[in-house]
Amino acid sequence: MEQKNAMNKNVRPAAATAAPKDDAKGGSAFAAIVIPLALIVSIIIYQFVFGNGANFQGGNNENHPLEGNYLGIVYKGGFIVPILLTLFLLVITFSIERYLTIGKARGTKSIESFVRSIRQKLNVNDITGALAVCDQQKGSVANVVKAGLLKYQEMSRERGMDKDQKILSIQKEIEESTALELPMLEKNLVIISTIASVATLVGLLGTVAGMIKAFSALAQAGNPDATALANGISEALINTALGILGSALAIIAYNYFTSKIDELTYSIDEAGFSIIQTFAAQHGEKETYTA
C-alpha cells in the first residue's frame, strides 16, 4: 500500500504542472477565439432576436413586450443581458469541448472494463496481451498504461540494474507519461469555474441597475412613472434569473468534468500499481511491495 500511495503522490502533481507547450498554445488559442466570438453572437441575438419589433406592442422594442412573449421580456433586462448570454454560451461551448476531450482520453471502451482487462492480463503475466488491450482501447489512459508496460518489458530484459532501480524506472515512466497525456484534461476548466462565480455577480449587477431605475421612477414628484417602475423591476428580476441560471450550469459542468478527470487519474493509478506489483512479484521479494 505504501508503494501505491507513493505513486499517487507523484503522479498527480506531475500531471498538473507539465503540460505540453503545443497543447497549451492550442487551448489558449481556442479560448481566445471563442470568448470574443461568443460576445459578438450574444450582442446579435440580443439586438435582432430578443429586440425584434415583433416581440413588442406596436412593433417597437421601446414599448412593453407582447403578453407571454419571453423574448421581449428578456430584452427588457437591459445591457447586462448580452454579457450574461455570453457567459451562458461560453459554458455550453467549453462543456462540449471538455466532453469531447475527456471522451477521447477515455478511449473506445469503458475505462473500468479496460483497467479490469489490464489487471487480468497482468495476473497471468501476459504483458503482450496487456499491450494489445491498450492498442484496442486507445486514448490517453491507454497510452500511459502502454508506456508503463513497455518499460516493464525493457526492465525485464535489463541485467545491469537491481530490482529497486527497475521498479523506480517503471514508476518514473508512468509518471512522465501521465505528465504528457493528462494535463490538457483540465484545460479550460478554470474558465468554467470562473463563470460559476462571475455569472451570479454579473446578474447581481443587473439587479442593482434595474432597482436603481425602479426607485428613480418611484421618486419622481407627483405621479410615479408606472411604466419606468415596471421596467426597472423587470430588468432586475430578469438579470437575477439569467445570472443564477448561468452560474448553476457552470457549477454542474465543472463538478461533472472534475469527477470524470479524477476517475481517469484513479484508473491510471490502479493500472500503474498493478504493473509495479506484478513486476515485483515476478522478480522476487514480493512481501516488500504488497499492500
Side-chain angles (χ1 to χ4, degrees), residues 6-287:
M7 280 192 62
N8 291 341
K9 291 179 181 178
N10 291 332
V11 170
R12 294 175 186 272
T17 58
K21 292 182 179 180
D22 291 341
D23 290 341
K25 290 180 180 179
S28 300
F30 178 77
I33 293 173
V34 167
I35 292 175
L37 184 61
L39 178 59
I40 294 172
V41 171
S42 298
I43 293 174
I44 292 174
I45 293 174
Y46 177 74
Q47 290 291 341
F48 299 103
V49 179
F50 296 160
N52 192 305
N55 300 322
F56 301 89
Q57 297 176 359
N60 189 340
N61 58 22
E62 295 183 359
N63 297 331
H64 285 296
L66 295 173
E67 184 176 354
N69 190 302
Y70 291 102
L71 296 179
I73 293 174
V74 173
Y75 178 81
K76 289 300 180 180
F79 70 96
I80 298 294
V81 171
I83 300 176
L84 292 171
L85 185 58
T86 299
L87 297 178
F88 179 81
L89 291 177
L90 289 177
V91 171
I92 298 300
T93 302
F94 285 115
S95 294
I96 293 174
E97 185 264 342
R98 286 295 89 196
Y99 180 82
L100 295 176
T101 299
I102 293 176
K104 183 179 180 181
R106 290 175 63 90
T108 57
K109 299 179 181 178
S110 166
I111 197 69
E112 294 83 4
S113 176
F114 168 70
V115 174
R116 185 166 54 251
S117 297
I118 292 295
R119 298 188 67 145
Q120 289 173 350
K121 296 295 183 181
L122 289 172
N123 286 339
V124 296
N125 199 30
D126 184 7
I127 305 303
T128 302
L131 287 170
V133 172
C134 292
D135 290 335
Q136 294 174 359
Q137 178 72 10
K138 301 180 181 180
S140 296
V141 176
N143 290 341
V144 173
V145 176
K146 183 176 180 179
L149 292 171
L150 291 174
K151 179 61 70 170
Y152 180 109
Q153 288 185 325
E154 179 183 340
M155 292 297 101
S156 296
R157 298 187 296 268
E158 177 63 44
R159 295 294 179 264
M161 302 169 62
D162 60 33
K163 192 192 70 171
D164 289 338
Q165 290 176 325
K166 293 178 180 180
I167 289 177
L168 288 175
S169 180
I170 295 172
Q171 181 177 330
K172 182 179 179 181
E173 181 68 21
I174 294 173
E175 293 171 6
E176 291 177 350
S177 299
T178 302
L180 292 174
E181 293 286 349
L182 291 189
M184 288 304 296
L185 295 180
E186 297 182 357
K187 192 71 176 180
N188 296 327
L189 279 185
V190 65
I191 297 177
I192 296 179
S193 65
T194 301
I195 293 174
S197 301
V198 170
T200 304
L201 297 177
V202 174
L204 181 60
L205 177 62
T207 301
V208 172
M211 294 307 296
I212 290 174
K213 291 181 180 179
F215 281 106
S216 296
L218 192 62
Q220 290 183 1
N223 293 328
D225 189 342
T227 299
L229 176 61
N231 286 338
I233 295 175
S234 176
E235 178 177 336
L237 295 178
I238 289 169
N239 286 314
T240 300
L242 291 177
I244 292 174
L245 176 62
S247 179
L249 289 176
I251 291 172
I252 293 172
Y254 181 81
N255 289 335
Y256 174 79
F257 292 124
T258 52
S259 68
K260 292 300 180 182
I261 292 172
D262 288 342
E263 178 184 342
L264 296 182
T265 306
Y266 179 77
S267 298
I268 290 177
D269 289 345
E270 288 296 301
F273 179 61
S274 297
I275 293 171
I276 290 178
Q277 285 285 82
T278 301
F279 187 90
Q282 294 297 323
H283 293 78
E285 299 180 26
K286 179 179 178 181
E287 65 277 8

